[in-house]
Amino acid sequence: MARSPGEGSVSPSASLRGTRETLSDPELESIGSDSEINGFTAERKTDKYGFLIKTEENSEREQELSVEVLRQREAKWLDMLLNWDKWMAKRHKKIKLRCQKGIPPSLRGRAWQYLSGSRVKMDQNPNKFTELDSMAGDPKWLDIIERDLHRQFPFHEMFVARGGHGQQDLFRVLKAYTLYRPDEGYCQAQAPIAAVLLMHMPAEQAFWCLVQICERYLPGYYSEKLEAIQLDGRILFSMLRKVSPVAYKHLSKQKVDPILYMTEWFMCAFSRTLPWSSVLRVWDMFFCEGVKIIFRVALILLKYTLGSSEKLKSCQGQYETMEKLRAIDPKYMLEGFLIPEIAELPITEQDVQREHLIQLKKWKEEYGELQCKSPTRLHGAKAISNADPAGHKPLVHSPSIILPSNVSSGKKTREQKQEEKEQEKQRAKEMREREKMEKEKKKLEKKKSKGKGDQSNGAMKEENGGEGTGDHRQEPVQPLLAKVTQKDSLNVHQSSESLCSKESEDTYL
């Protein structure tokens, strides 16, 4: 697949132009995924993957797992995702076997993020995608991206409408990548990769998963010179000699360069070649085991298409050979045939790495050093996990419906019961402290009131004792003074003074 052209090749009559606003047109947005285009009416049907099927067509019935088996696998995968770092460190072979069996559809998107390390990458770069999404972007890439949007799975309900939500998210992801890696820009083969990811996860998660594919799994594939894909073509052709000598000799005789037939296979990870059920199973294994899965699929297709003299009778020339490879017999691509073949083919990551070094040495002898300095390729989830030791955040359930705290939702767990006991103890402790404070407060009030009464009684005694002789008529007044208020005591004091003054007046007269 050729690299996308740069500026100067933009058509001024393009239906979708330049900026994100054209994709956010309310009229286009109202169409959504329910538009009646491509011959599909309002009564259209979709298969279980979201692809539209016409009413007169009979969709192929695939052998599906029973509900019980599916639920068991979901429970196992949920347990792995909750303790991902432990499983990856100690039981990676079990993860590999479960990926070969197929990831449950309900957990596939989440599992891809954990396998690829994109979840860790996203946690390490919070708000990065939002920042890139808010930026304008390079106009030369925006125009090319917009022209490619309607070509990506046009019969899937997410991308069936021009300017619909699926195409808007696809535009956002691809634009963000051109800003994240401006030296690499945009390549047309990235669009189907991003579209497959968007079918399984939101835009931000899809962006970081795309970053991991481009940087970890297939580094250099989408660079300007496509050197990495040419190098892998040589690796594939060399491996074909061991897997299928007949096919190798025929392609050598017809001088069919690997770049002619394997470019789309590798750059799009077979998303535009295989039946969809096979695509998903291949991607499950690819995220777990790395690029060797892509090599295995290619070798199997070449082996069963050109691997016998009987099959080569119809391929007498280069043109016929290419036509044969463009129209591979569907039975070799079915999930039931292809997946066991992939698992059994003895091509390891060490084989790929060893052949890579051999072909890289030959390349340098012919063309010199590689112009694109891409990161080192990592072969699968285990290598990515070892390269980035930062642990995953624990998997937290986020329900769409949250019940109030006072509403019971079935049986209580041990932790909930323990928490309730702790809360009861805390409440009882607070009540005891509150009662103690109230008692102390009452005691202080009693002391204060008693002190005021003692002071008033002492004052009366001083007044009575200062006159020299006691008046027995005033004795009954003293116990009453303790019960009256401060104001009343002042009035009594004033009346006694006036009485004394009258008596002294009479004595003088």
Side-chain angles (χ1 to χ4, degrees), residues 243-282:
V243 175
S244 178
V246 175
Y248 174 81
K249 289 177 182 178
H250 177 76
L251 291 171
S252 299
K253 181 180 177 182
Q254 300 298 331
K255 296 182 180 180
V256 179
D257 195 287
I259 202 74
L260 297 175
Y261 56 83
M262 56 80 65
T263 306
E264 186 177 77
W265 293 355
F266 277 61
M267 294 184 75
C268 300
F270 288 99
S271 61
R272 297 167 65 98
T273 306
L274 301 174
W276 199 249
S277 60
S278 300
V279 170
L280 297 179
R281 294 291 300 278
V282 166

Side-chain angles (χ1 to χ4, degrees), residues 150-177:
H150 71 281
R151 300 178 185 141
Q152 312 310 320
F153 306 104
F155 297 109
H156 192 278
E157 61 181 352
M158 273 192 70
F159 306 105
V160 69
R162 292 176 72 90
H165 298 295
Q167 290 194 6
Q168 289 185 42
D169 283 345
L170 182 58
F171 176 84
R172 293 169 60 206
V173 170
L174 296 174
K175 184 200 78 170
Y177 188 81

Side-chain angles (χ1 to χ4, degrees), residues 146-216:
E146 288 182 354
R147 285 190 283 114
D148 282 346
L149 293 178
H150 71 281
R151 300 178 185 141
Q152 312 310 320
F153 306 104
F155 297 109
H156 192 278
E157 61 181 352
M158 273 192 70
F159 306 105
V160 69
R162 292 176 72 90
H165 298 295
Q167 290 194 6
Q168 289 185 42
D169 283 345
L170 182 58
F171 176 84
R172 293 169 60 206
V173 170
L174 296 174
K175 184 200 78 170
Y177 188 81
T178 63
L179 294 167
Y180 184 76
R181 289 290 301 274
D183 56 320
E184 194 169 284
Y186 166 70
C187 181
Q188 287 177 324
Q190 290 172 318
I193 296 286
V196 175
L197 296 172
L198 284 169
M199 294 178 195
H200 295 86
M201 61 192 78
E204 183 175 9
Q205 285 87 333
F207 166 75
W208 288 113
C209 215
L210 176 66
V211 168
Q212 290 296 92
I213 290 173
C214 295
E215 292 184 352
R216 300 293 200 180

Side-chain angles (χ1 to χ4, degrees), residues 363-467:
W363 178 283
K364 290 179 179 179
E365 291 173 356
E366 294 179 27
Y367 306 105
E369 293 289 337
L370 294 172
Q371 295 183 21
C372 176
K373 301 297 182 183
S374 54
T376 304
R377 176 157 59 194
L378 299 179
H379 293 269
K382 181 66 173 176
I384 292 172
S385 177
N386 293 338
D388 192 354
H392 289 77
K393 288 185 177 180
L395 191 64
V396 179
H397 178 59
S398 55
S400 56
I401 300 174
I402 302 174
L403 296 174
S405 58
N406 58 349
V407 178
S408 178
S409 60
K411 295 183 179 179
K412 297 178 181 178
T413 62
R414 187 182 297 174
E415 293 178 356
Q416 289 175 333
K417 291 179 180 178
Q418 187 68 24
E419 188 177 352
E420 287 181 359
K421 286 182 181 179
E422 293 294 332
Q423 290 177 354
E424 288 177 3
K425 288 181 181 179
Q426 186 67 22
R427 284 195 293 269
K429 186 178 179 181
E430 290 176 357
M431 286 291 293
R432 287 195 298 269
E433 290 179 354
R434 196 179 295 115
E435 289 174 358
K436 188 177 180 182
M437 291 290 290
E438 288 177 358
K439 287 181 181 179
E440 290 179 356
K441 189 176 180 181
K442 286 180 181 179
K443 287 181 179 179
L444 288 172
E445 288 177 354
K446 286 181 180 179
K447 287 181 179 179
K448 287 181 180 178
S449 61
K450 188 176 180 182
K452 288 179 181 179
D454 293 342
Q455 288 177 3
S456 59
N457 290 338
M460 289 297 298
K461 287 178 180 179
E462 287 176 3
E463 291 175 1
N464 294 334
E467 292 177 357

Side-chain angles (χ1 to χ4, degrees), residues 315-329:
C315 304
Q316 298 300 319
Q318 188 183 68
Y319 176 79
E320 291 80 8
T321 302
M322 286 302 302
E323 286 299 308
K324 187 88 168 174
L325 291 173
R326 289 192 186 100
I328 296 172
D329 192 335

